[in-house]
Amino acid sequence: MIPLKGHLLVIGAHAGDVENMAGAVVLKHVRAGCTATVVHMTLGEAGHPTLAPAVYAEQRRQEIEASGRLMGAKVLALPYRDGLLPKTEEVIWQVCDIIRQEKPDVLLTHWKGSIHKDHIATHELVQEAIFFAALPAIERTLPAHRVRHVYYPENWEDMEGWRADVYLDAGDIWEEYLAVLRSHALMRGGVSSFRYLDYYDALGTTRGCLGGFRKAVALMAPPGSWVQRMEFLPALLSAA
Ligand SMILES: [Zn+2]
């Protein structure tokens, strides 16, 4: 296969979101030659039943570094507090600047139909940042960059109105993906009552069944991209 060379940017609300919703997508494309940057808007430091947020934050920082190494991705962590991600212009400019700096061909982030306010905030902040990053009239240190393709990966907390538009074969990197998940205590169990590893491993099987692969991940395309423009129906163009 010819090596790929695009750049993938994934933006998640909490440490671990990038990994569980997009770890397989990152691995798949990095192994094929792409580069990737992952951004954690917060460290998800408020979710531990016994550890103080400051202590858990340090653990989470080590976990995102470890999972970033396993995925072969550059890791950025923003300084916002778990549960308190602010929807302000300052944050939008910060994400806008990251987009202009990283120049992704494809960006993945949360779908807006979420049960978690930080996930909804991330969706909204990123949508606005994509818009401003592409406008030459918005003068920042770096020149404008237009993100051509956005997808919303599958996340158990973001399922309201989400739909599977793309099935991506993840069979060849699935064990590496599980290793990425296991590099976070949250996924291994004992921190949350949610069975992350069981859920995402079983989801890979379910999406694989539906997509015709051993293991697969599904992505949602933005509603505006559902329209296809063509002169003839492809099946009739290719019919012998
Ligand atoms: Zn989250």
Side-chain angles (χ1 to χ4, degrees):
M1 193 186 76
I2 303 165
L4 307 182
K5 52 183 184 182
H7 189 65
L8 175 64
L9 177 63
V10 187
I11 304 178
H14 308 104
D17 280 315
V18 160
E19 287 81 353
N20 64 40
M21 70 181 178
V25 183
V26 172
L27 279 164
K28 179 86 190 177
H29 292 92
V30 168
R31 294 292 173 265
C34 294
T35 51
T37 302
V38 302
V39 179
H40 306 279
M41 300 297 290
T42 81
L43 286 170
E45 75 283 358
H48 201 283
T50 53
L51 290 181
V55 177
Y56 190 39
E58 189 46 45
Q59 177 183 327
R60 302 237 67 189
R61 197 174 287 284
Q62 291 171 15
E63 288 168 340
I64 58 171
E65 293 299 335
S67 57
R69 279 193 297 275
L70 289 171
M71 290 187 287
K74 174 178 170 183
V75 177
L76 301 175
L78 300 192
Y80 301 105
R81 286 172 62 194
D82 184 3
L84 296 166
L85 176 59
K87 285 191 283 182
T88 61
E89 275 196 21
E90 183 198 343
V91 187
I92 293 168
W93 294 128
Q94 201 169 7
V95 178
C96 166
D97 289 347
I98 289 171
I99 291 169
R100 288 187 174 192
Q101 174 188 299
E102 300 301 316
K103 300 196 281 291
D105 301 285
V106 175
L107 190 155
L108 309 183
T109 194
H110 294 276
W111 171 238
K112 65 183 175 185
S114 183
I115 58 173
H116 200 301
K117 66 189 278 291
D118 287 343
H119 292 207
I120 299 168
T122 299
H123 174 92
E124 292 174 356
L125 292 162
V126 171
Q127 291 301 133
E128 292 209 36
I130 289 169
F131 176 76
F132 288 132
L135 280 184
I138 302 288
E139 289 188 20
R140 307 287 296 168
T141 313
L142 295 168
H145 176 77
R146 182 167 163 240
V147 180
R148 295 191 177 274
H149 297 282
V150 176
Y151 294 100
Y152 311 114
E154 192 164 9
N155 183 313
W156 76 273
E157 290 172 292
D158 305 343
M159 298 308 288
E160 186 65 43
W162 185 93
R163 55 177 245 182
D165 291 314
V166 175
Y167 287 89
L168 188 73
D169 180 2
D172 53 345
I173 49 78
W174 199 256
E175 280 60 42
E176 287 185 89
Y177 168 60
L178 295 181
V180 166
L181 295 187
R182 287 194 195 97
S183 68
H184 286 246
L186 177 67
M187 316 291 178
R188 294 194 299 271
V191 175
S192 159
S193 60
F194 187 76
R195 292 158 55 199
Y196 282 89
L197 258 182
D198 284 348
Y199 180 84
Y200 284 101
D201 195 22
L203 189 63
T205 304
T206 301
R207 292 301 173 199
C209 292
L210 293 169
F213 302 111
R214 182 177 75 85
K215 294 282 189 178
V217 289
L219 302 166
M220 178 181 179
S225 71
W226 290 342
V227 173
Q228 296 183 51
R229 296 168 182 85
M230 60 190 73
E231 186 178 6
F232 297 106
L233 296 174
L236 294 177
L237 267 183
S238 60

